[in-house]
Each structure stands twice: as C-alpha cells, then as structure tokens.
C-alpha cells in the first residue's frame, strides 16, 4: 500500500471500500492523530495499540452510555437518578436508626 489510511480522501474510500473493510477488520491499532483504526500498524501514520480486550471495552462504553441515558431521562422528569435514589425500605431503616 502506497499511502496510509490517514491520507486517504473521500474518493479513495468510495473506490476502495472492500479493501478498506479488510484493512480495518478486526481493529488492533488506532492513529493517535486522527483516530482511524486498522488491523496493522503499517496502515496508519501514528499507530497506537488498542487494548487487547476491545470487546470488553466496547461493552463498558455501551453500558455507561445506557446509564447516562437513564440518568438524563430521570433528570428531565425532575426525579433523582435511578442509581442514587434510595428504596422505601432503606429510607425506613435510616429513619428508624436515627430515632431511638
């Protein structure tokens, strides 16, 4: 390959879509300049290795996004976050422990 993915133009992407799919699947390195990914460091201008367990990282990111979405939804309704809200039983226990 003559040039790195970082230097591809839009027309190059359209013309070489099948080649692009083979270059980026599975992603093992990312460019620290433009955040493009590839399976081999020779395809990028400033390659940085990705974590070995990229699937677990992806799952954590999705879970965090889901939690944030739930929190934002609760805030829109004027309620506390579902994670920080105490259950009725916990509130009763806390109240009972304060009163002798």
């Amino acid at each position: 390959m003559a040039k790195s993915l970082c230097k591809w133009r839009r027309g190059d992407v359209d013309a070489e879509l099948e080649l692009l799919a083979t270059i980026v699947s599975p992603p093992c390195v990312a460019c620290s300049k433009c955040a493009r990914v590839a399976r081999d460091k020779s395809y990028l201008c400033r390659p940085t290795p990705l974590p070995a367990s990229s699937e677990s990282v992806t799952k954590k990111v999705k879970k965090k996004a889901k939690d944030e979405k739930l929190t934002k939804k609760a805030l829109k309704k004027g309620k506390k976050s579902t994670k920080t809200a105490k259950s009725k039983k916990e509130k009763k226990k806390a109240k009972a422990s304060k009163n002798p």
Side-chain angles (χ1 to χ4, degrees), residues 19-99:
L19 176 61
L20 179 66
T22 59
I23 290 172
V24 300
S25 185
C28 298
V29 291
C31 178
S32 61
K33 181 179 178 183
C34 62
R36 286 178 174 86
V37 294
R39 64 184 168 129
D40 187 56
K41 67 181 183 177
S42 64
Y43 294 112
L44 303 173
C45 61
R46 293 187 186 163
T48 303
L50 290 172
S53 59
S54 61
E55 287 182 22
S56 64
V57 171
T58 304
K59 287 178 185 178
K60 288 178 185 177
V61 169
K62 285 181 181 179
K63 183 177 180 346
K64 185 176 180 181
K66 184 180 176 183
D67 290 345
E68 287 177 2
K69 187 176 180 181
L70 291 174
T71 302
K72 286 179 184 177
K73 199 179 226 184
L75 289 173
K76 280 184 180 179
K77 291 181 180 179
K79 297 179 180 177
K80 288 185 177 179
S81 169
T82 54
K83 284 190 165 187
T84 58
K86 291 184 178 179
S87 68
K88 289 181 182 179
K89 288 181 182 179
E90 290 174 338
K91 287 179 183 178
K92 284 182 182 179
K93 285 181 183 178
K95 196 174 188 179
S97 66
K98 287 181 182 178
N99 294 334

